[in-house]
């Protein structure tokens, strides 16, 4: 009895201290959260206003890019804090629902949550201070924004705007435009080359397509010529194809305007192939013409006459901002805190993939239901664990490397399908577009077996690629356990 009374008194004291601590810290947390929300709204106003104007000043673009990254970090920290708060409430409800006396393990759990909340609160305060300082430094930028002309566009909702524009590459795009419009200072024989490098599906083609559609670039060059690997690797193909394209491009012109040549490489480029291209370009292209080379290989950097543009996958904070905006659409995420938790877990699994963010955000917005999102989260976890154990890498990394990926269907787990190839094509290259979608295969409404192509998604921005997978559905080999049969007088009884 004395031991029980001592335990009850000890637990009462612990609860009282924890209650007072949580009450004081909760007031501080709400104050920091409210202030961070207000400062994020101010940053959002500046960024949205800047996105609607045609800014060319490099220093302003750099400041805006820094503010945009800090804003993404702020929203990420705010959502992380809210998700942590709801997790704590769930745990506290489970603790309070248990029969007394409460174990020491539960007290330690509450203490751990308090320590973790203190760390997140410190990070929130640091993010708040950083953003406040940045916005104070942006006063001149805000004042100068009015001097730049507005871009002509409709007042879309934010998810429509982000889904129909290039996300997170404004700084790189302006640097590429600056290179293309730069007046050449070298000899007439020298052709300036800009290498753009980065891993697969990081947005190199998207960046170049947006730059080429820029009005200043479009008016500066009389023609834009696109070349690919097969135009350069074989010498005979080069003479009959690439050189002829260059020659025809020049002879069809009625003025002396320069030409832009875009070389998109999947693999590497040899020194001989590059020398052939340069030799043909010097003979055919007029003065002031320029070349952009995109590749996953860093070896093309040596062909450049200026510093290469390196594209990397988006940081987690920026990808979360993009993913959440598309997944929730015109629905307010603050009204669905549980869905925000699920979306944040799904976004972490995408490993910075913009293609994955587009595919799964549209899938989630079309199925705006907590049960579906829970199933999708469990499906992705199993998918990642399965491919890590079999192939040693995540499915998104495997797809970027064009390596096979094993999937299982959500509706019929007894069936698996293997993705052996991922490819893309423009709307002009599409001859027979597969009508089978990723959703049809995952949910099991498509019942055929064998090899076929599925449509992952169609990009709504230049170069308007459609992304496909070659799949093969096959039944899993089930090893059922045989029932034991008893025998009586040598006769089997089932």
């Amino acid at each position: 009895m004395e031991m029980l009374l001592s335990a009850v008194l000890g637990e009462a004291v612990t609860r009282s201290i924890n209650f007072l601590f949580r009450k004081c810290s909760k007031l501080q947390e709400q104050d920091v959260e409210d202030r961070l929300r207000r400062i994020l709204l101010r940053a959002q106003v500046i960024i949205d206003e800047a996105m609607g104007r045609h800014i060319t000043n490099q220093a302003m673009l750099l400041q805006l890019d820094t503010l945009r990254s800090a804003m993404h970090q702020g929203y990420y920290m705010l959502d992380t804090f809210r998700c942590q708060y709801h997790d704590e409430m769930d745990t506290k409800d489970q603790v309070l629902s248990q029969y007394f006396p409460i174990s020491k393990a539960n007290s330690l759990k509450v203490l751990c949550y308090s320590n973790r909340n203190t760390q997140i609160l410190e990070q929130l305060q640091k993010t708040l201070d950083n953003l406040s300082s940045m916005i104070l430094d942006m006063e001149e930028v805000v004042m100068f924004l009015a001097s730049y002309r507005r871009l002509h566009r409709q007042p879309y909702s934010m998810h429509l705007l982000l889904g129909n524009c290039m996300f997170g590459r404004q700084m790189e795009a302006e640097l590429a435009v600056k290179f293309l419009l730069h007046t050449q200072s070298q000899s007439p024989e020298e052709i300036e080359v800009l290498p753009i490098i980065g891993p697969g599906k990081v947005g190199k083609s998207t960046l170049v397509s947006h730059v080429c559609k820029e009005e200043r670039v479009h008016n500066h060059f009389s023609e834009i010529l696109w070349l690919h690997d097969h135009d350069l690797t074989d010498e005979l193909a080069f003479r009959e194809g690439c050189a002829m394209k260059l020659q025809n491009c020049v002879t069809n012109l009625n003025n002396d305007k320069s030409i832009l040549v875009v070389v998109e490489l999947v693999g590497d480029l040899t020194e001989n192939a590059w020398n052939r291209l340069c030799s043909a370009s010097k003979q055919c292209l007029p003065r002031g013409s320029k070349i952009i080379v995109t590749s996953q290989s860093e070896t093309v950097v040596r062909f450049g006459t200026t510093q290469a543009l390196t594209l990397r996958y988006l940081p987690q904070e920026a990808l979360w901002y993009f993913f959440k905006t598309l997944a929730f659409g015109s629905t307010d995420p603050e009204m669905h805190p549980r869905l925000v938790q699920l979306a944040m877990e799904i976004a972490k699994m995408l490993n910075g993939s913009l293609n994955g963010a587009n595919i799964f955000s549209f899938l989630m917005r079309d199925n705006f239901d907590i049960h579906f999102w829970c199933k999708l989260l469990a499906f992705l976890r199993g998918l990642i664990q399965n491919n890590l154990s079999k192939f040693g890498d995540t499915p998104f990394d495997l797809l970027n490397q064009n390596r096979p990926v094993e999937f299982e269907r959500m509706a019929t787990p007894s069936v698996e399908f293997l993705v052996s190839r991922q490819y893309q094509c423009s709307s002009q290259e599409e001859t027979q577009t597969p009508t089978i979608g990723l959703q049809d295969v995952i949910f099991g409404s498509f019942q055929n077996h064998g090899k076929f192509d599925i449509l992952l998604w169609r990009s709504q921005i230049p170069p308007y690629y459609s992304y496909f997978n070659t799949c093969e559905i096959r039944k899993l080999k089930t090893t059922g356990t045989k029932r034991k049969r008893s025998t009586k007088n040598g006769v089997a009884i089932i």
Side-chain angles (χ1 to χ4, degrees), residues 100 166 307 316:
F100 127 93
M166 181 175 59
Q307 185 176 1
Q316 184 66 42

Side-chain angles (χ1 to χ4, degrees), residues 359 363 409 417 423 430 432-458 466-473:
I359 293 169
L363 192 63
R409 301 170 110 178
F417 64 98
Y423 65 97
E430 289 186 46
Q432 293 182 344
T433 304
T435 57
I436 309 165
L438 176 67
Q439 189 168 344
D440 300 325
V441 179
I442 291 179
F443 297 154
S445 60
F446 181 75
Q447 300 296 335
N448 292 2
H449 290 80
K451 287 189 176 181
F452 56 93
D453 289 348
I454 62 171
L455 173 65
L456 295 178
W457 71 291
R458 284 191 175 92
S466 296
Y467 296 88
F468 303 94
N469 274 149
T470 299
C471 300
E472 179 183 3
I473 292 184

Side-chain angles (χ1 to χ4, degrees), residues 318-370:
L319 184 73
W320 166 240
Y321 180 85
F322 178 80
F323 182 75
K324 182 180 75 169
T325 304
L326 293 187
F328 282 88
S330 44
T331 305
D332 185 5
E334 293 191 16
M335 302 298 294
H336 303 275
R338 303 300 183 190
L339 292 180
V340 172
Q341 287 179 276
L342 294 171
M344 192 167 239
E345 289 298 319
I346 292 173
K348 290 176 182 177
M349 298 180 181
L350 300 179
N351 202 21
S353 170
L354 266 177
N355 279 7
N358 278 289
I359 293 169
F360 287 102
S361 63
F362 294 145
L363 192 63
M364 292 162 65
R365 197 168 72 228
D366 290 342
N367 300 273
F368 199 81
D369 177 73
I370 189 169

Side-chain angles (χ1 to χ4, degrees), residues 478-484:
T478 57
T479 56
T481 57
K482 294 182 178 180
R483 294 176 58 187
K484 292 184 178 179

Side-chain angles (χ1 to χ4, degrees), residues 19-34:
F19 174 76
L20 293 174
F21 176 80
R22 284 197 302 269
K23 187 173 181 180
C24 295
S25 63
K26 186 61 183 174
L27 293 174
Q28 188 179 2
E29 289 168 2
Q30 287 180 344
D31 180 55
V32 175
E33 183 183 357
D34 292 340

Side-chain angles (χ1 to χ4, degrees), residues 134-145:
M134 281 188 180
I135 289 181
L136 287 177
D137 294 338
M138 295 290 289
E139 291 182 358
E140 293 83 1
V141 173
V142 174
M143 185 174 59
F144 287 129
L145 277 178

Side-chain angles (χ1 to χ4, degrees), residues 229-240:
D229 292 72
H230 57 80
D231 295 317
L232 305 172
T233 51
D234 184 73
E235 187 172 356
L236 180 61
F238 180 86
R239 289 175 180 173
E240 296 179 354

